[in-house]
Structures are given as structure tokens and as C-alpha cells.
Amino acid sequence: MSNYFDKLPPWPDGDFGEFGPVEVKPRDRYQQIGGAFLSRNWLAIPHVTHHDEVDVTDLEAARKAWGEANPGQKITLLAPVMKAVVGALKEFPIFNTSLTADGASLVWKKYFHIGVAVDTPKGLLVGVVRDCDTKSAATLAEDTAALAEKARTKGLSMAEMSGGSMTISSLGHIGGTAFTPIVNAPEAAILGLTRVQLRPAPGEAGALEWRKMLPLSLSYDHRIINGADAARFVRHIGRELSRFEFV
Ligand code: CAO
């Protein structure tokens, strides 16, 4: 019996030269493999993306103070967010699961390895930072910077890209207010970060004050996670960040 998907028309692969001058360049192996994985994940996983923003005003003040007290060392927002995601994974362990290929079981992970999407000249690579629950933000920042540098200069092995609990994809250094990251199978969710925005909010004395808000976009596999849990998960990340302490 045929179904709707059997009736999809073929990819429109015409001769663009008919419309004007063009040049056809082959894509390298990394780009082709990466594209195939992204297509599989997009088609196989029923994605929903939940958007929210969390107040990082106090966190940013603490991060600035930490930077002044530790010249030569750098922590961006990413490391505190990795720690906050670990806190949220502990509170909501359903986000630290993987569906088996037959869909019959869930694998509950007891480890906290966070994937970080890195923009490289060869395309997007996701390196996994291990045991994020046991590391300080400073160590996570160092580990992530080293992994990103290796991804950009030498590439990453399959072992360095495997075994994540959940992935974070940060576009905050460029801009944006929200996007739809694609879940990195077999993980259950991926968190996208975009650029911190200044928003007016009522202060304690009633007057308006400017707050720093970090936009978060959480895409999740709707076979595993429901929308209410996603909303709670992101709110929890906000709570973790609001009480975060640099040690
Ligand atoms: N809001 C405002 N500023 C931010 C920010 C945010 N959310 N996130 C980072 N920044 C700032 C940093 O503080 C840093 O500022 P300074 O240079 O003044 O200190 C600057 O942006 C550059 O940050 P960075 O990119 O060096 O470091 P990072 O820890 O934020 O990110 C990495 C590291 C590897 C995740 C990032 O460089 C990267 O490659 N991201 C790309 C991910 C991607 O392409 N995803 C797309 C997936 S969908 O196709």
C-alpha cells in the first residue's frame, strides 16, 4: 500500500545554467556526512522547540568580577550554562535518556557529558565534554576551548563526538534571538543559546531597571519529552543560573 511519503516528488535537480551563469563545486566528505546525519535526525525525530529567556544580570556581574580577579583566564556564559544544564538534567532525568533504535526502551544515563556544537571551517562538529558534574566552570571553559580549538584545526574523532547526555549550541557570540537547533541523536534534547538582550523590568523600588536576559531555545524529541517538562526544564536552568557561584 503506498502512502503520502512514497508520492513525494524527486529533488528538483535541474540545470541551473538555463537561468544564468553558475559554478558547481563538490562538498567535502565532512559536509556530506554531517548533512546526512542532520537530515536523518530532522526526519526521524518529532521536534518541538521551546523558547524562553532567563535573567543573567547577577550572573554576568559575578562573571565580570571573576574575570577581574583571574586575569588571563576566560569564562564565557557557556560554562555556567553547562553547569546549569547538569543541574537541570539531575532534576529532570528524562532529558538524560536515549531511545533505543526499536523505540521499545529508554536508556537512562547516570553520567553528565555535555556536547558543544563548534562552528569549524569544515562545518559543524559536536565535541563532548565529559563529567561536567565534577568540574568547575573554569575547568569546563578550558576543556571546551581546547575541544573547540582541536575541532577547528584537526577535527574530532568519533570517540570525541560520542556519548553526550545533551548538546548545547551557542550562537550568542554572533547574535539572534531564537532558533531551532536539531536534536543530536540519540540524545533527547538540545539547547540553543542566542545573544543576551537588555530588557526593562520593574526593580525593587518600583522604577524600571535594565536586566540582561539570555534567550534559550530547547528542541526536544516529543516521543520522549512533553512540552510542560520542557518549559520546567528551561525555567530550572534559569534558577540554576540565578544562584550560580564561581568557585
Ligand atoms: N550573549 C552575548 N555575548 C556572548 C554570548 C551570548 N549569549 N555568548 C558568547 N558571547 C560572547 C563571549 O562572552 C565572547 O565575548 P568576549 O570576546 O568579549 O569575551 C564572545 O561572544 C565570543 O565567544 P566565543 O565564541 O569565543 O565563546 P563561547 O564560549 O560563547 O562559544 C563555541 C564557544 C565553541 C561554542 C562557539 O565559538 C561556537 O563555535 N559556536 C557555534 C555553534 C554553532 O554554529 N551552532 C549552530 C548550530 S545550528 O547549525
Side-chain angles (χ1 to χ4, degrees):
M1 193 172 71
S2 77
N3 64 38
Y4 183 81
F5 293 100
D6 296 331
K7 294 178 192 156
L8 289 181
W11 188 258
D13 205 11
D15 177 7
F16 293 88
E18 285 178 16
F19 309 112
V22 294
E23 185 185 359
V24 180
K25 294 182 180 176
R27 302 177 84 206
D28 71 27
R29 208 175 128 262
Y30 271 108
Q31 290 168 332
Q32 292 188 40
I33 295 172
F37 281 127
L38 286 169
S39 294
R40 178 201 60 193
N41 298 348
W42 183 249
L43 291 173
I45 299 172
H47 278 74
V48 178
T49 306
H50 180 84
H51 302 287
D52 201 349
E53 50 182 28
V54 297
D55 194 323
V56 292
T57 314
D58 297 340
L59 175 76
E60 283 297 77
R63 188 170 73 88
K64 187 164 178 270
W66 187 91
E68 284 163 3
N70 296 272
Q73 292 189 60
K74 186 170 174 181
I75 297 185
T76 63
L77 267 173
L78 186 60
V81 172
M82 291 166 83
K83 293 296 287 183
V85 165
V86 169
L89 289 173
K90 287 183 176 170
E91 190 74 16
F92 302 95
I94 188 82
F95 285 81
N96 198 2
T97 62
S98 284
L99 207 56
T100 52
D102 61 4
S105 310
L106 267 185
V107 179
W108 296 76
K109 301 166 203 168
K110 310 293 181 191
Y111 50 80
F112 299 91
H113 306 332
I114 304 294
V116 177
V118 184
D119 185 24
T120 81
K122 292 193 165 189
L124 193 66
L125 293 181
V126 177
V128 176
V129 182
R130 313 271 156 196
D131 301 314
C132 296
D133 52 326
T134 63
K135 294 176 180 168
S136 67
T139 305
L140 287 182
E142 273 174 36
D143 287 2
T144 307
L147 203 61
E149 171 67 14
K150 180 158 187 282
R152 288 181 176 132
T153 54
K154 298 181 184 153
L156 297 175
S157 66
M158 273 314 282
E160 288 169 315
M161 296 191 284
S162 305
S165 299
M166 205 182 127
T167 294
I168 300 176
S169 179
S170 175
L171 296 174
H173 58 301
I174 303 172
T177 54
F179 69 114
T180 308
I182 297 179
V183 173
N184 187 23
E187 296 165 15
I190 179 169
L191 182 69
L193 313 183
T194 44
R195 195 160 186 82
V196 169
Q197 314 280 323
L198 279 174
R199 299 246 188 268
E204 277 178 18
L208 281 184
E209 58 182 49
W210 290 98
R211 306 295 296 179
K212 290 182 176 173
M213 305 301 289
L214 173 66
L216 301 177
S217 301
L218 179 77
S219 292
Y220 55 91
D221 185 335
H222 209 351
R223 295 171 299 177
I224 306 175
I225 290 159
N226 64 40
D229 282 340
R232 290 186 195 105
F233 186 85
V234 175
R235 286 284 90 201
H236 191 83
I237 290 175
R239 276 195 295 282
E240 293 270 343
L241 289 175
S242 68
R243 60 185 180 220
F244 188 82
E245 286 179 17
F246 289 86
V247 284

